[in-house]
Amino acid sequence: MSDRMFDSPVFVKSGNSLIEEIACLEDALEFLYEWPKNRRGTIYETALRACQRAFDSNYPLRAARQAFCGFARSANILEEVSIPLPWMTGGKAGASGLGA
């Protein structure tokens, strides 16, 4: 396990109404780098700076995750996941019964 994994993933809505799992610092940075320039602001910059500091130094990973969550909340893309999503359960294959 990477030392840059978040203690729990963050789920965000991305393009086409898909839910994306941000499980580690690298995922958060990639998401932030791809965020549209015309939608960036102070909260975005704070989250980006926190994630970059955590990547480059001993800045707390937990603080970077909290900053990313704050950005996602402010951009109205934070998705609260209270039940396991299908890919998280590792359940059986679909109705055909094929798989596993």
Side-chain angles (χ1 to χ4, degrees):
M1 179 180 278
S2 168
D3 61 342
R4 295 181 182 176
M5 294 293 291
F6 291 150
D7 57 354
S8 62
V10 179
F11 294 94
V12 292
K13 290 179 266 187
S14 60
N16 300 325
S17 300
L18 297 174
I19 297 174
E20 187 172 338
E21 178 183 31
I22 307 297
C24 64
L25 189 56
E26 288 83 356
D27 292 347
L29 283 167
E30 182 178 338
F31 190 90
L32 290 167
Y33 292 147
E34 293 176 1
W35 189 250
K37 290 183 181 180
N38 64 333
R39 295 188 63 196
R40 297 178 183 184
T42 304
I43 297 173
Y44 165 88
E45 294 295 335
T46 300
L48 179 62
R49 199 167 37 252
C51 289
Q52 288 173 330
R53 286 182 63 199
F55 187 84
D56 293 336
S57 69
N58 288 335
Y59 189 76
L61 187 60
R62 181 171 300 220
R65 183 186 181 282
Q66 288 175 336
F68 183 82
C69 285
F71 154 73
R73 192 173 295 107
S74 74
N76 201 28
I77 60 169
L78 185 64
E79 188 69 27
E80 297 294 338
V81 176
S82 58
I83 60 170
L85 297 173
W87 71 85
M88 299 168 79
T89 61
K92 294 182 180 179
S96 69
L98 298 176

